[in-house]
Amino acid sequence: MGIPTLQGLQTTLSGLMANQASLDVVGQNIANANTPGYARQTAVLETAPPLSVQALSPVTGAGAQLGRGVGVQTIVNIRDSYLNAQYRNENSASSSASTLAESLEQVQSALEEPSSSGLSSQLSTFWGAWNDLASAPTSAAAREAVVSAGSQVAGTIKQLSGQIAGASTEATERYESLMGESGEVHSDAEQIAQLNGQIKVSEQAGQQPNELLDRREALIDQLSGFAEVNVSEGEYAVVSLSFGGGGTPLVEGTTVNWPPTLSTSSGGQLGALLQLSGPTGKLAGLQEALDGFAESLAGTVNALQPSTPFFSYTAGEAAASIAVSATPAQLQTGGAGEPGANEYALAIAALRGGQAEQQYSAFVTGVGSSVQAAQAARANSEAMLNAVSAQRQSVSGVSLDEEMTNLMTFQRGYEASARALTAMDQMLEQLIEHTGTAGL
Amino acid sequence: MTDRITPAMISSSTLRSIESSMASLDKTSEQLSSGKSILQPSENPFGTGRAIDLQSALAGLSSYSSNIQEAVSWESTASSALGSIGQVVQQVREIALEGANGAQNESDLENLAVEVEQLTEAVKSDANAQYAGAYIFSGTMTETPPYEVSGSDAYKGNEGSIGRTIGPGLTIQIGASAKALLGEGAGSGDGKLLETLRNVVTNLREGTPAAREALVGGDLEAIEANSQTLIAMQAHVGATIDQLRTAEGRIEQLSVNTSAALSNTENANIAQVSIQYASEQAGYEAALKAGASIVQMSLLQFLN
């Protein structure tokens, strides 16, 4: 038995087709070189099943197997699921750290310290005004100056308190908007569930749905910024996704278990927002420290103004409610009926550098330290994220140089296949047109 | 295996370098333009707390310093008032001796008595000395003159004292009561200057041998005792002024030290920051250059 006459045509045709498919994949890679979440693809080539030719050898009668060309086995995308998991961990950590840092930085910049316009210099002016009043207890101008410096201090404390409360409200609102029924988390989860269904159908049909997988990976990456995610892949590439350390998976096949249970240790933006807001959050802690300072300031000054309290405030929310309650005429510099007496004014001026001021300076140091810690955490996790991201790019990213080289390789392969086809054709032409015509 | 390097990796890392160079350049230029090394508490939380404490301490020192200036002026006013009372006491002593020597006739004695009466009013008006609108010898009743000139000899002030803080935890008393020196006049039995002066006037007018005897006897002794009190008061005022001067020197020294500490804490070292700025600028330029040239490199440029 010989080799079928037209077999060569089929073999070279398969070469043309395989090279063409590979070129198509190269084209797809180049087209998506800058698409976020795109993982480069490769056409996996395999040799076609050979043709058994029996008794090929006229001497021994042994047969042989003749290759029948090449085929595209599948088109795969290249990704590393370990790097993906690492990327998502770092992404959660990084967005958690930057959410914390941003919010605390907002409070920090409201402090305007150290500067000549911050509360510390206003307090200094306030003590100075009391000192001036002690020197001139009968001066109406000195009394006015004390009340006005006091009002400025009270106003700034109130403003700071309002800014901290505002940051806390903002954190709560951001959390609620992200976690709402129409928020991003829910919509991402729904899309992942839907993609799970589509991917399953493709996989069951034996096709690898690269584009669907890319889209799902991108969505999971996005979710990892909101809270920690944990992905486990089951049959037919269907993933089950736990979110924010909750017990029940957020996405299970095509089902979304809404809403997920989150806590301050959920990581990501949402975990950070929970750490910031709420009655035990970081911002409430700052508010409490500011309240402590305001109460101690008002308390120590009022203790030295026996007839009319200088500051009024509501206990428990001193910073938000502090105000000057005394009028200039009501200020008491010393014993009643002694216009020149100044022991109270002296004692208040001597509060400079005292308990209240130390509390304030500790408050500023505390805010500074927590911002510093959050910024350091952000810098660390961003560096890690960049490193993992680069590694991931290294595995899955499109290298144009590589694609160009592949382009040339497959182009040449295609040309060579075409040349082989031409040779086949010429051979057949010889057979058909010129054979058996001897003597004609 | 060599890592695959993709254009996306190069462009994102170039972008990151440009951004971080720019961020540090921004911070350094802010330090240069503001002259401060701490721009936000988070850059140095401990330093910020310290800067706040030091600024407050410095403002405190400057108020001590103005308190001292003010107290010195107050005490100087007191000192000159006491000085002029001292001159009066001296004059009265001479008048008393003159009235006692027996060569004076009745009208001479009357003239001397009138002179002492005028001197008495001068003493009261000296005791009514004011500093910046406050009567300095009225205790804490600074709006009330201690004595009524051409009126009763009753003391109108009180015994209260006025404090001035002149250093951390250091308060001195500057207000004084004139009653300790002047007393409450004739018949009060306190033996103070006004009673002595009134007695001298009475004895001069009487002109009897017994009255003359009293002028060089009891009255002269009383004048002596009064001038001792006066000298003690002057010495006290002098000692207070000395104390204030010493405190002033100390506060100045403290201000210098505190300013230096504050400057170390919050001021930028301009030379160092300038050099840092120059090197960061070079780094930024290098990152920009990399962005402009390296990122464009590709195999595509070499293929036909």
Side-chain angles (χ1 to χ4, degrees):
Chain A
M1 186 185 161
I3 299 167
T5 313
L6 298 180
Q7 180 55 46
L9 284 178
Q10 291 303 321
T11 305
T12 46
L13 175 64
S14 77
L16 279 176
M17 282 163 62
N19 279 307
Q20 192 187 354
S22 295
L23 273 174
D24 285 345
V25 171
V26 168
Q28 165 78 351
N29 282 343
I30 292 173
N32 285 294
N34 296 318
T35 308
Y38 179 77
R40 71 190 163 109
Q41 298 180 358
T42 313
V44 179
L45 303 183
E46 61 178 359
T47 49
L51 179 73
S52 290
V53 186
Q54 284 160 6
L56 188 66
S57 165
V59 181
T60 60
Q65 292 202 327
L66 179 67
R68 281 199 295 188
V70 63
V72 177
Q73 183 200 3
T74 182
I75 297 172
V76 292
N77 59 4
I78 296 172
R79 50 172 86 247
D80 181 333
S81 59
Y82 171 70
L83 279 179
N84 277 347
Q86 248 194 324
Y87 174 85
R88 286 165 193 152
N89 281 345
E90 295 305 334
N91 193 29
S92 300
S94 158
S95 59
S96 162
S98 63
T99 307
L100 279 180
E102 273 165 30
S103 178
L104 293 171
E105 274 168 358
Q106 208 181 326
V107 174
Q108 171 175 272
S109 57
L111 289 178
E112 288 190 63
E113 296 287 0
S115 79
S116 51
S117 51
L119 185 55
S120 65
S121 72
Q122 289 176 3
L123 268 178
S124 193
T125 311
F126 180 60
W127 304 132
W130 275 105
N131 183 65
D132 292 345
L133 181 61
S135 296
T138 53
S139 157
R143 286 169 179 269
E144 282 291 346
V146 165
V147 169
S148 122
S151 305
Q152 207 165 10
V153 166
T156 307
I157 294 175
K158 260 192 200 170
Q159 202 182 338
L160 269 180
S161 164
Q163 256 142 348
I164 295 173
S168 178
T169 314
E170 195 193 309
T172 312
E173 278 170 0
R174 265 170 73 192
Y175 179 83
E176 279 164 4
S177 103
L178 284 172
M179 284 299 285
E181 203 64 40
S182 55
E184 271 179 86
V185 176
H186 193 216
S187 112
D188 285 354
E190 289 286 356
Q191 288 183 59
I192 291 170
Q194 209 176 347
L195 284 167
N196 263 345
Q198 293 168 348
I199 287 166
K200 187 177 179 183
V201 171
S202 297
E203 291 276 347
Q204 277 171 332
Q207 297 158 357
Q208 189 172 345
N210 291 323
E211 279 67 31
L212 296 179
L213 289 171
D214 280 348
R215 273 173 56 200
R216 191 177 65 186
E217 295 297 320
L219 284 167
I220 298 175
D221 283 356
Q222 202 178 333
L223 271 185
S224 73
F226 296 128
E228 279 167 11
V229 294
N230 210 330
V231 180
S232 55
E233 197 168 319
E235 214 185 354
Y236 298 121
V238 168
V239 295
S240 163
L241 185 133
S242 79
F243 185 68
T248 321
L250 176 63
V251 180
E252 229 176 344
T254 54
T255 324
V256 173
N257 297 314
W258 190 259
T261 322
L262 296 182
S263 69
T264 49
S265 55
S266 287
Q269 198 181 350
L270 293 167
L273 290 173
L274 285 176
Q275 280 180 41
L276 285 167
S277 62
T280 52
K282 282 182 191 293
L283 292 169
L286 292 179
Q287 187 73 266
E288 206 175 304
L290 190 65
D291 279 339
F293 153 68
E295 216 167 315
S296 126
L297 173 71
T300 47
V301 172
N302 287 354
L304 293 164
Q305 286 290 290
S307 54
T308 314
F310 185 79
F311 286 115
S312 65
Y313 64 93
T314 315
E317 45 177 37
S321 59
I322 189 165
V324 173
S325 53
T327 62
Q330 284 172 327
L331 300 183
Q332 220 183 335
T333 57
E338 302 174 43
N342 65 356
E343 64 265 27
Y344 295 141
L346 278 182
I348 293 177
L351 293 176
R352 179 195 292 279
Q355 185 200 358
E357 208 169 307
Q358 279 166 14
Q359 267 174 302
Y360 177 67
S361 117
F363 170 71
V364 173
T365 308
V367 172
S369 301
S370 55
V371 173
Q372 193 184 38
Q375 282 173 339
R378 176 171 64 183
N380 280 347
S381 57
E382 266 171 12
M384 290 296 293
L385 182 66
N386 288 336
V388 177
S389 181
Q391 269 178 297
R392 202 160 80 142
Q393 261 293 317
S394 173
V395 173
S396 302
V398 176
S399 159
L400 288 178
D401 293 349
E402 186 183 74
E403 298 305 329
M404 282 302 126
T405 314
N406 285 343
L407 189 73
M408 288 189 291
T409 310
F410 295 124
Q411 196 178 3
R412 292 294 175 214
Y414 187 88
E415 283 170 13
S417 294
R419 181 60 58 85
L421 188 63
T422 313
M424 285 298 167
D425 184 42
Q426 283 171 348
M427 185 186 85
L428 290 174
E429 187 188 10
Q430 187 69 32
L431 182 69
I432 294 163
E433 298 289 330
H434 305 292
T435 310
T437 58
L440 282 181
Chain B
M1 173 194 146
T2 323
D3 273 354
R4 289 177 74 248
I5 307 294
T6 69
M9 286 164 73
I10 295 176
S11 54
S12 68
S13 76
T14 310
L15 184 63
R16 261 203 310 283
S17 328
I18 292 178
E19 279 173 351
S20 73
S21 303
M22 186 126 189
S24 50
L25 205 57
D26 176 52
K27 193 184 149 191
T28 313
S29 83
E30 213 177 323
Q31 284 185 339
L32 262 186
S33 60
S34 68
K36 303 280 184 211
S37 66
I38 306 176
L39 303 167
Q40 292 286 342
S42 58
E43 286 162 16
N44 185 348
F46 173 73
T48 307
R50 198 170 145 70
I52 290 174
D53 294 345
L54 287 171
Q55 267 163 357
S56 169
L58 202 58
L61 289 175
S62 96
S63 67
Y64 297 146
S65 171
S66 71
N67 289 351
I68 289 172
Q69 300 297 341
E70 207 253 359
V72 166
S73 306
W74 176 295
E75 291 292 276
S76 303
T77 312
S79 172
S80 64
L82 291 174
S84 87
I85 293 176
Q87 284 173 359
V88 170
V89 172
Q90 199 54 44
Q91 275 173 287
V92 171
R93 184 207 300 269
E94 282 160 16
I95 292 170
L97 288 172
E98 206 182 328
N101 73 9
Q104 316 284 345
N105 60 25
E106 203 168 310
S107 77
D108 288 341
L109 286 176
E110 178 56 27
N111 284 345
L112 288 175
V114 169
E115 197 181 341
V116 172
E117 271 180 338
Q118 281 166 353
L119 287 171
T120 308
E121 295 311 315
V123 164
K124 284 161 83 174
S125 96
D126 280 335
N128 288 352
Q130 277 180 295
Y131 172 76
Y135 292 98
I136 61 177
F137 290 116
S138 279
T140 55
M141 305 296 285
T142 53
E143 287 181 317
T144 316
Y147 289 100
E148 201 181 327
V149 178
S150 320
S152 95
D153 287 345
Y155 175 62
K156 304 276 177 42
N158 64 10
E159 305 297 319
S161 64
I162 293 167
R164 288 284 181 271
T165 309
I166 58 162
L170 182 59
T171 303
I172 57 155
Q173 302 301 328
I174 55 168
S177 155
K179 195 178 171 189
L181 177 64
L182 269 60
E184 303 231 274
S188 63
D190 57 12
K192 305 287 186 196
L193 189 55
L194 285 181
E195 189 181 30
T196 309
L197 294 176
R198 298 294 180 204
N199 286 345
V200 169
V201 171
T202 315
N203 287 332
L204 283 173
R205 290 225 167 100
E206 267 183 33
T208 58
R212 288 175 190 216
E213 193 60 34
L215 275 177
V216 288
D219 286 351
L220 212 55
E221 269 170 35
I223 289 174
E224 198 51 46
N226 294 150
S227 74
Q228 287 307 319
T229 313
L230 178 67
I231 287 166
M233 278 178 85
Q234 279 176 316
H236 180 73
V237 168
T240 307
I241 292 179
D242 272 356
Q243 192 188 354
L244 288 168
R245 297 273 185 228
T246 314
E248 189 176 20
R250 214 164 51 85
I251 296 296
E252 262 167 29
Q253 190 56 46
L254 267 175
S255 295
V256 170
N257 294 347
T258 311
S259 298
L262 181 61
S263 165
N264 277 342
T265 311
E266 67 166 13
N267 286 358
N269 178 341
I270 297 297
Q272 193 190 339
V273 175
S274 303
I275 290 169
Q276 201 182 334
Y277 186 76
S279 78
E280 280 171 0
Q281 205 167 21
Y284 180 54
E285 276 170 24
L288 284 179
K289 192 155 278 177
S293 53
I294 300 171
V295 174
Q296 284 183 355
M297 297 287 261
S298 152
L299 186 57
L300 278 169
Q301 288 168 319
F302 303 97
L303 293 176
N304 298 319

